[in-house]
């Protein structure tokens, strides 16, 4: 990744454009599932969401392979798209907003409690 | 049999390792093998997340190969760490299943 890409995020725009093009080639029910997955995945994003690119790439790969086998999207990922997305994101060990918020909250509470003891 | 999800949770990873240890294989084939065994609830998505975990923990060797249908497929084989993990899985499995059988037979 070049400095220019780091600053502008131009690599991200390019990657996601490529993902969208691949998603467009999928059958309709797969495309719908992909859109839901993207929504869920973004809650696991880091500040720039750069950690999501390999996850999204892997997820699209699975959808492409499965649709080529002629399966229905339901046979492949079932009802729990949120759970599936979480498992994918967990697979990358993605640290996200919520982790940081949780840490911050814990720190603040600990500080307040320590002061109470004075 | 249905509704095995909860019970299978901890063991499915070992099952997938065992299937990969027999011969080089890919996600879809692993799911079909598990379905044929009678684990009808297991879907590609589940197997896929397990494969991601195995890959992340460096227990498998992954090779991308072109397939007759659609995009290239990822094929999996076990590496040495994977074989050790599989041996540990079976050791744990025998431990647990022997004790559960004992419990059922009313022994101590």
């Amino acid at each position: 990744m070049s400095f220019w890409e780091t600053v502008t995020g131009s690599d991200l725009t390019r990657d996601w454009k490529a993902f969208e093009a691949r998603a467009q080639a999928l059958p309709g029910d797969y495309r719908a599932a992909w859109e839901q997955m993207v929504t869920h995945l973004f809650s696991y994003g880091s500040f720039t969401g750069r950690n999501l690119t390999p996850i999204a790439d892997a997820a699209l790969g699975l959808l492409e392979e499965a649709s080529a086998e002629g399966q229905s999207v339901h046979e492949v990922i079932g009802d729990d798209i949120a759970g599936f997305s979480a498992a994918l994101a967990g697979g990358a060990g993605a640290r996200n907003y919520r982790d940081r918020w949780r840490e911050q909250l814990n720190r603040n509470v600990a500080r307040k409690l320590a002061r109470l003891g004075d | 049999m249905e509704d095995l999800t909860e019970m299978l949770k901890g063991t499915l990873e070992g099952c997938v390792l065992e299937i990969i240890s027999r011969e080089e294989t890919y996600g879809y084939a692993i799911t079909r093998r598990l379905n044929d065994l009678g684990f009808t609830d297991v879907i590609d998505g589940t197997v896929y997340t397990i494969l991601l975990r195995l890959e992340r923990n460096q227990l498998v060797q992954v090779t991308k190969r072109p397939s007759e249908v659609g995009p290239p497929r990822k094929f999996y084989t076990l590496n040495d760490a994977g074989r050790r993990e599989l041996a540990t899985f079976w050791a744990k499995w025998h431990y647990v299943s022997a004790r559960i059988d004992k419990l059922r037979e009313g022994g101590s």
Side-chain angles (χ1 to χ4, degrees):
Chain A
M1 192 187 342
S2 73
F3 174 71
W4 176 253
E5 285 175 336
T6 314
V7 174
T8 61
S10 64
D11 60 321
L12 286 176
T13 317
R14 194 182 54 225
D15 289 345
W16 282 93
K17 273 209 179 120
F19 292 157
E20 281 315 310
R22 282 165 68 189
Q24 286 304 315
L26 291 170
D29 53 341
Y30 275 90
R31 213 158 50 227
W34 162 252
E35 274 157 26
Q36 281 189 53
M37 270 161 77
V38 170
T39 315
H40 288 297
L41 279 176
F42 268 110
S43 62
Y44 299 96
S46 58
F47 174 64
T48 57
R50 197 165 263 119
N51 64 332
L52 294 179
T53 318
I55 301 172
D57 183 36
L60 257 181
L62 170 69
L63 295 181
E64 285 167 346
E65 270 186 51
S67 73
E69 300 281 358
Q71 305 185 78
S72 79
V73 73
H74 189 262
E75 282 174 284
V76 180
I77 48 181
D79 306 311
D80 186 14
I81 293 188
F84 179 66
S85 307
L88 283 180
R95 257 173 63 83
N96 59 34
Y97 272 128
R98 278 185 301 181
D99 292 331
R100 278 198 298 279
W101 284 336
R102 212 173 282 140
E103 271 171 30
Q104 202 176 26
L105 179 67
N106 284 341
R107 255 198 326 272
N108 289 341
V109 169
R111 205 159 46 215
K112 287 257 161 68
L113 287 177
R115 204 168 295 157
L116 275 181
D118 288 345
Chain B
M1 196 181 275
E2 287 179 15
D3 287 332
L4 288 173
T5 322
E6 279 305 315
M7 210 177 244
L8 274 180
K9 234 170 214 169
T11 46
L12 215 45
E13 191 167 312
C15 298
V16 171
L17 278 171
E18 177 63 36
I19 292 171
I20 299 175
S21 80
R22 298 297 170 93
E23 58 174 352
E24 186 184 54
T25 184
Y26 56 98
Y28 179 70
I30 296 171
T31 315
R32 290 295 86 84
R33 178 87 186 88
L34 288 166
N35 292 157
D36 291 346
L37 271 175
F39 299 140
T40 45
D41 276 355
V42 175
I43 54 174
D44 284 331
T46 315
V47 171
Y48 187 69
T49 51
I50 292 172
L51 288 171
L52 276 182
R53 208 159 53 229
L54 296 179
E55 196 178 338
R56 181 168 45 108
N57 296 337
Q58 294 175 350
L59 302 171
V60 287
Q61 178 93 34
V62 187
T63 327
K64 263 199 174 176
R65 298 240 180 82
S67 70
E68 310 93 73
V69 285
R73 264 197 195 117
K74 282 167 119 182
F75 282 81
Y76 300 84
T77 45
L78 287 197
N79 58 23
D80 288 341
R83 277 186 285 274
R84 278 196 298 277
E85 183 72 19
L86 180 60
T88 312
F89 166 74
W90 284 124
K92 284 181 184 165
W93 174 257
H94 288 311
Y95 184 89
V96 171
S97 65
R99 265 137 201 91
I100 291 178
D101 285 345
K102 211 171 197 180
L103 178 69
R104 191 172 177 214
E105 286 153 15
S108 57

